[in-house]
Amino acid sequence: MNQRTPPSQLEIIPETAPFSHEQRSWLNGFFAGLVSLDNAVTPLSPEQGAAVMKGAGDNDDGEAPWHDQTLPIAERMKLAEGRPLRRRMMAAMAQQDCGQCGYNCHDYSEAIAGKKEARLNLCVPGGKETARMLKTLYEELESAPSSSPSPAPEANLAEPAAKTVGEPGRSRDNPIKAVFLSRRLLNKPGSEKETWHIEFDLSGPGLDYVVGDSFGVFASNDLGMVDQIIALLGVSHETMINGKKLRDVLHEDVSLSPAPDSLFELISFITGGAAREKARALASGDDPDGDAAHLDVMAALQKFAGVRPHPEAFIEALERLQPRLYSISSSHNATPGRLSLTVDTVRYTIGKRKRIGVASTFLAERINPGDTLKVYVQKAHGFGLPQDPNTPVIMIGPGTGVAPFRAFLHDRQATGAPGRNWLFFGHQRSECDFFYADEFNAMKSSGHLTRLSLAWSRDREEKFYVQDRMREVGRELWSWLAEGAHVYVCGDAKRMAKDVERALVDIAAQFGARSTDEAVAFVADLKKKGRYQQDVY
């Protein structure tokens, strides 16, 4: 790799000067940055990328470089080769500690490996790939000598395995009822997005939360899709399934996307010839027609038109409808008894058919003010404000990634935290996609929001993102880091989070008087010390 000569040998500020190590490092970097002629962005090597990931390593088995949501599952599993089974299970999980499974990743893998949890399909971000890999690993566990009986791995609609049920409203297994209050569109005319500010009333059950936590929502399926599926089955809406009407089961209890492997297995049992072979291939994870990624339950029935499973067998082949988690965008200290979310509505088209996100459209259009729904608070794991209210914070959250940082700002304002606050926000267009503009501008005017750095990707011919803005203000950003600031990132894991991390490495190299490898180690150390926290998905 072409690297510039590390400026770390340039000691302009002597060790005897009346500065801390961090301040002296910053000053040396400041002067080195002034004379630096090479500001080119060079991609990190795989080794450097893995070194940064070590900042989020495991404590009992060494580092965990597979905990990178952007890596394909095959690469994550390769990184975990030779590790204990429970660690390979963690590598199979697509997102570290998102909480949607009702555990953190460590506890979920421990529960499976200890044969205390039979449900292998709870990893919502990982989807079918993760469920298949967990099933493979579970079979490896089953084949190992064991003196204790184990549960069956297939448990799509089975009751949850026995485990401690916590306080009401604190887990997916013990939700409470909350009242839906309102929704407000955050985009202005001209936007290509549909993003809502959603409010709930938690005063009845008395449920509180801490900023950084997430909110679990139990949504229901779109009745239009439910009725189309019933028509494809060729049965009555009134058909009873274990004492409940088929329409109600499809509406409230089962997931209609994506089509699970068990549905294709069922189809293969009741058809023959080429159709049977195709269904078998899909059940095993193959993609004979190149459309597997787009097959939800309705599309699967349409693909095998004329194949009509018995309603009871059909329901048994489907998976439970999972709750969805959203970052909380309010502060209990600022608005006790109320909670808000910032939700992008998911709508897209495949072929001629419009597809929708279950929970996002439920919140955007299928629930009315005054309605109740099942919810819970998912405690954050390693994502929250610093204990010392004097600590400066740098928050980077484009799009709906701004949600927890709105909460952070409201919380620090309500508690009178004196620490400085710097928010990086970005979206497509400044005129129509500046969420909470009035709030943030008012905080900026009052001095509560020390700095507000914005980036708009569609306002100019060349796209401009939050990581580009970070580089523009790199010298000041480094000064905040030298003074102990904590960095928070929320949003897209596949590109944004990696690009932001790379920008931070570059800033540490240019203004911190470090080589690229030293800058990588610096960012990894921020993670280890809890000064660099991410909530990415």
Side-chain angles (χ1 to χ4, degrees):
M1 178 187 297
N2 246 344
Q3 292 184 348
R4 60 186 171 88
T5 303
S8 55
Q9 299 170 358
L10 190 62
E11 293 291 340
I12 299 173
I13 307 299
E15 292 188 6
T16 54
F19 299 108
S20 68
H21 173 76
E22 289 81 6
Q23 290 170 331
R24 191 169 60 254
S25 178
W26 180 82
L27 288 167
N28 280 324
F30 173 82
F31 291 113
L34 286 178
V35 300
S36 173
L37 299 177
D38 183 7
N39 293 325
V41 177
T42 306
L44 295 181
S45 69
E47 293 77 13
Q48 290 168 332
V52 172
M53 289 308 299
K54 285 181 181 180
D58 247 317
N59 291 327
D60 60 349
D61 286 331
E63 307 299 352
W66 55 80
H67 281 176
D68 181 350
Q69 301 92 327
T70 66
L71 288 176
I73 191 168
E75 292 184 28
R76 297 202 305 271
M77 298 313 297
K78 187 172 182 180
L79 287 169
E81 282 180 0
R83 297 297 182 96
L85 182 66
R86 66 188 186 281
R87 290 296 167 261
R88 284 183 281 143
M89 287 180 175
M90 291 179 73
M93 298 170 191
Q95 184 163 345
Q96 186 177 5
D97 296 339
C98 75
Q100 293 202 62
C101 61
Y103 302 87
N104 56 47
C105 292
H106 173 274
D107 291 344
Y108 185 32
S109 64
E110 291 286 344
I112 296 171
K115 300 183 179 179
K116 297 176 182 178
E117 176 60 82
R119 297 170 295 175
L120 308 181
N121 54 2
L122 299 184
C123 184
V124 175
K128 292 173 77 170
E129 281 189 331
T130 292
R132 285 171 182 152
M133 184 57 67
L134 289 177
K135 184 177 179 181
T136 299
L137 295 170
Y138 192 93
E139 289 169 353
E140 181 180 328
L141 177 68
E142 285 284 82
S143 65
S146 175
S147 58
S148 59
S150 58
E154 294 297 336
N156 286 348
L157 289 178
E159 288 302 312
K163 70 173 186 177
T164 302
V165 176
E167 183 184 344
R170 302 295 176 184
S171 76
R172 58 178 282 159
D173 294 319
N174 196 9
I176 53 122
K177 289 287 186 70
V179 177
F180 176 79
L181 288 178
S182 63
R183 66 174 68 90
R184 170 170 59 92
L185 189 64
L186 293 173
N187 315 91
K188 293 179 180 178
S191 176
E192 297 176 21
K193 299 290 186 176
E194 180 187 337
T195 309
W196 298 89
H197 177 78
I198 309 287
E199 298 235 343
F200 301 88
D201 181 0
L202 299 182
S203 60
L207 185 64
D208 61 4
Y209 57 92
V210 176
V211 292
D213 290 347
S214 298
F215 196 54
V217 174
F218 286 81
S220 58
N221 290 310
D222 175 56
L223 279 174
M225 181 186 297
V226 166
D227 290 341
Q228 291 181 70
I229 288 173
I230 292 174
L232 289 168
L233 291 173
V235 297
S236 168
H237 290 60
E238 304 292 318
T239 301
M240 301 301 291
I241 306 292
N242 296 325
K244 191 171 183 177
K245 292 180 181 179
L246 174 63
R247 191 173 194 248
D248 293 336
V249 174
L250 289 170
H251 180 220
E252 302 166 356
D253 299 340
V254 295
S255 173
L256 302 181
S257 182
D261 295 343
S262 49
L263 177 58
F264 295 115
E265 289 175 0
L266 174 61
I267 291 172
S268 74
F269 294 150
I270 57 177
T271 188
R276 167 178 263 182
E277 293 306 312
K278 192 168 291 188
R280 282 178 173 171
L282 287 165
S284 65
D286 293 333
D287 191 3
D289 297 328
D291 60 354
H294 306 307
L295 292 177
D296 61 5
V297 171
M298 191 166 99
L301 291 175
Q302 291 171 329
K303 184 178 182 70
F304 294 92
V307 178
R308 294 183 171 181
H310 186 281
E312 190 171 337
F314 174 69
I315 292 299
E316 288 179 354
L318 301 184
E319 297 179 345
R320 282 193 176 274
L321 185 58
Q322 306 275 12
R324 301 304 198 267
L325 277 182
Y326 293 97
S327 298
I328 296 173
S329 59
S330 57
S331 161
H332 178 73
N333 288 321
T335 53
R338 294 172 75 98
L339 180 147
S340 68
L341 306 177
T342 307
V343 179
D344 258 344
T345 308
V346 178
R347 304 182 195 274
Y348 56 102
T349 301
I350 296 177
K352 296 181 179 179
R353 186 180 143 213
K354 293 181 179 179
R355 307 287 185 98
I356 58 174
V358 175
S360 64
T361 55
F362 172 77
L363 294 171
E365 61 191 22
R366 295 200 303 278
I367 190 170
N368 299 309
D371 289 351
T372 60
L373 71 163
K374 291 191 298 182
V375 301
Y376 65 98
V377 169
Q378 176 66 45
K379 181 176 174 57
H381 297 282
F383 188 80
L385 283 170
Q387 290 185 349
D388 183 355
N390 292 289
T391 303
V393 296
I394 300 167
M395 301 161 284
I396 304 158
T400 55
V402 78
F405 304 139
R406 177 182 185 266
F408 281 17
L409 288 166
H410 278 279
D411 196 78
R412 293 194 120 192
Q413 192 170 50
T415 59
R420 293 179 298 159
N421 305 295
W422 188 347
L423 175 65
F424 287 83
F425 174 74
H427 211 307
Q428 291 187 346
R429 296 178 176 84
S430 58
E431 289 296 317
C432 51
D433 296 316
F434 190 178
F435 303 160
Y436 307 113
D438 292 342
E439 289 183 22
F440 293 149
N441 284 327
M443 289 180 180
K444 183 74 167 59
S445 297
S446 71
H448 176 61
L449 182 52
T450 314
R451 289 210 59 171
L452 176 60
S453 296
L454 305 172
W456 309 107
S457 63
R458 305 292 192 276
D459 273 2
R460 57 173 86 173
E461 186 174 341
E462 184 179 350
K463 292 183 178 180
F464 190 80
Y465 298 106
V466 287
Q467 62 268 22
D468 301 312
R469 185 67 72 197
M470 287 172 64
R471 288 190 172 92
E472 279 192 351
V473 294
R475 184 173 287 112
E476 186 172 357
L477 199 152
W478 174 255
S479 75
W480 279 50
L481 288 174
E483 293 167 13
H486 286 210
V487 181
Y488 299 88
V489 181
C490 182
D492 170 57
K494 292 186 176 180
R495 294 196 59 181
M496 183 278 297
K498 300 294 281 187
D499 291 341
V500 164
E501 195 167 87
R502 174 69 234 216
L504 200 60
V505 168
D506 291 340
I507 289 166
Q510 182 177 353
F511 300 106
R514 287 164 166 80
S515 67
T516 301
D517 286 341
E518 290 168 339
V520 165
F522 172 79
V523 173
D525 190 58
L526 289 180
K527 290 186 176 182
K528 287 182 180 179
K529 292 178 177 176
R531 288 182 56 198
Y532 186 171
Q533 299 179 18
Q534 298 182 92
D535 178 15
V536 295
Y537 37 83

